[in-house]
Amino acid sequence: MIPARLSTGARLSLGLLAGVPVLLLILATLGALSQTTVEGLPVVPWQTLWGLPLDRWVRDIAASLVLGFVVVGGLLLPRLDHRLVRLASLAALAWLIALLAQVPLTVSELLGRPLVDSLEPQIVAALLTQTQLGQILVAQIVLVALVALLGWAILGRVTAAIVLGMAAAAAGLTGLMGHSGLHAGHTSASVSLFIHLLAAGVWVGGLIAVCSHVMRHPDDAALAIRRFSTLALVCVIVLAESGLLNASLRVDGVASLITTAYGTLILAKATLLAALIVFGWRQRRRVVPTGDRVSLVRFAGYEVLLMGIALGVSVALSRTAPPAGAIPGDHITAGALAVLALGVPLVMAWAGAGRQGRPAWLHRLTAAYPEPFAVAVAVLTYVMAAIVPSGLLGIGVAAVLASLALIAVGWAFAVAALGPRGLPAIVLAAVLWPAALWLASLSDPVETGAQVALAGAVGLACIGLLVVVRRTARSDPAVAVAPEEVPVA
Ligand code: HEM
């Protein structure tokens, strides 16, 4: 139960916690939380394997809150909201603590030392002064400490802009670490990740900030919602473009997207972003014209939950090795099967669940007999999991065709599930689809049982969400699919 006394911002921020189990589950199934012994390499203690991603998660969340709260509280609103900028300053304190904790965690990971021994002054000094990673950390620590201090002193727009500049620089420096900093296309990778992180931060933190503000200042609601809606649109476009550019520098085509863990996580993120775009589009249509702050906060609750999951997947992505390249013989991962056959179609069907977006021809095709579509999606998943996307066509073309086939059949199933007789098809898919995935994994086990189980759970969650979309579409007159309008063949 969420205590009723919590402020709107605090209650919404709790949604971001959804990222923690997601992050840990992904890393656990990829084996990134268990100690491994490779001859000649230091053994990283388990405390560090758990601590580092959790610390990165805190860092990313705190950075997002700082950016969003300063942008909204200091610059976007008709007058300064001192409460929001002070909250930004508090979030900067959490960010600072996460950066300080990153120092011993990084020493421990690089040298394979227990955490307690990773605070030795000589080693810490060497890391911070002699390595690029350490120098970036020092720059971030100084900038974030200044943000935490100056946040209390924001007096006007100019100070807010200066603090925002420092926070943006500190957040963007993360782009020089990790995979981007190590990548051959160093500059493009770092710049695109820099922009990606800023857009994500302003969007996520800004949404929470604007909800928190309008619940306390109803007079500002219409203007604040209108302005934030435009800002959010820009952030989404920039986020998607920078994310795709960054991904294209690490993944050499669709084949790697669907045959590797790294690619699968990118697919999952893109799907989550698509779902967020649908939410945002509905917000724009319903909340922006009316300035209805209660609806804004209600929608924002779901959005922040999805953003939290996307942030969890992002940190897992940054802890996963980018693929070396797909080769003929590689299998489609169970996760990619779940995302392509059920995740993407769920978002597509949900987006079209209104009167305008509904493809009537597809409803006509699926309305009378939805069950065969549930069988088809399970059979195709089995076939695609068993068949290697290579052959005569070449791995790239085969991967594109396999992805399109999975999405098309999955979409037909999702539309059938949302139709007047959809429930039996949903139940059938909930039984057949995980069984198909499991059977396929038995015949040629290239992934661990945990990976297949997680993919199965994601698929089942998507099937479950179809029930939710059905209910909402039927109870909400704005998106209702009127069964009588669908001529049954
Ligand atoms: C089309 C959708 C997206 C794509 C293709 C994408 C792609 C990427 C890539 C390739 C990285 C670099 C990971 C690495 O270092 O190896 C990244 C990092 C990141 N992304 Fe995205 N992303 C997308 C959507 C999102 C969304 C919706 C959010 C949040 C709301 C987000 C937040 C982040 C964050 C915070 C990081 C940095 C993680 C860290 O280093 O701790 N991304 N993204």
Side-chain angles (χ1 to χ4, degrees), residues 162-347:
I162 293 171
V163 169
L164 177 64
M166 287 193 292
L173 279 174
T174 305
L176 295 174
M177 295 170 156
H179 297 141
S180 286
L182 302 172
H183 195 270
H186 180 87
T187 313
S188 320
S190 298
V191 172
S192 58
L193 190 54
F194 178 101
I195 296 170
H196 193 66
L197 290 166
L198 292 190
V202 172
W203 186 33
V204 175
L207 178 63
I208 296 174
V210 91
C211 289
S212 172
H213 178 83
V214 298
M215 290 317 275
R216 282 169 183 258
H217 304 273
D219 298 348
D220 288 352
L223 183 66
I225 293 173
R226 221 175 29 252
R227 285 187 181 172
F228 180 71
S229 172
T230 310
L231 178 68
L233 184 67
V234 174
C235 285
V236 168
I237 295 168
V238 173
L239 185 73
E241 276 199 11
S242 55
L244 289 172
L245 173 66
N246 202 285
S248 70
L249 292 169
R250 296 144 202 264
V251 173
D252 64 349
V254 180
S256 292
L257 267 187
I258 65 171
T259 57
T260 64
Y262 192 90
T264 303
L265 293 178
I266 289 179
L267 271 186
K269 281 185 70 171
T271 311
L272 285 165
L273 183 62
L276 279 163
I277 290 172
V278 178
F279 262 120
W281 170 66
R282 297 209 162 148
Q283 286 261 36
R284 263 183 100 80
R285 261 196 10 203
R286 291 202 209 167
V287 180
V288 176
T290 56
D292 174 3
R293 58 204 179 110
V294 177
S295 294
L296 172 83
V297 175
R298 189 166 57 90
F299 266 109
Y302 298 112
E303 285 179 88
V304 173
L305 195 76
L306 280 183
M307 287 169 169
I309 296 174
L311 286 168
V313 177
S314 300
V315 179
L317 183 68
S318 73
R319 301 280 301 158
T320 306
I327 48 165
D330 282 350
H331 283 258
I332 303 182
T333 64
L337 287 167
V339 174
L340 293 172
L342 297 167
V344 177
L346 166 70
V347 178

Side-chain angles (χ1 to χ4, degrees), residues 420-442:
R421 289 191 51 245
L423 269 183
I426 293 181
V427 175
L428 200 60
V431 175
L432 292 183
W433 189 84
L437 195 69
W438 176 68
L439 274 179
S441 76
L442 286 185

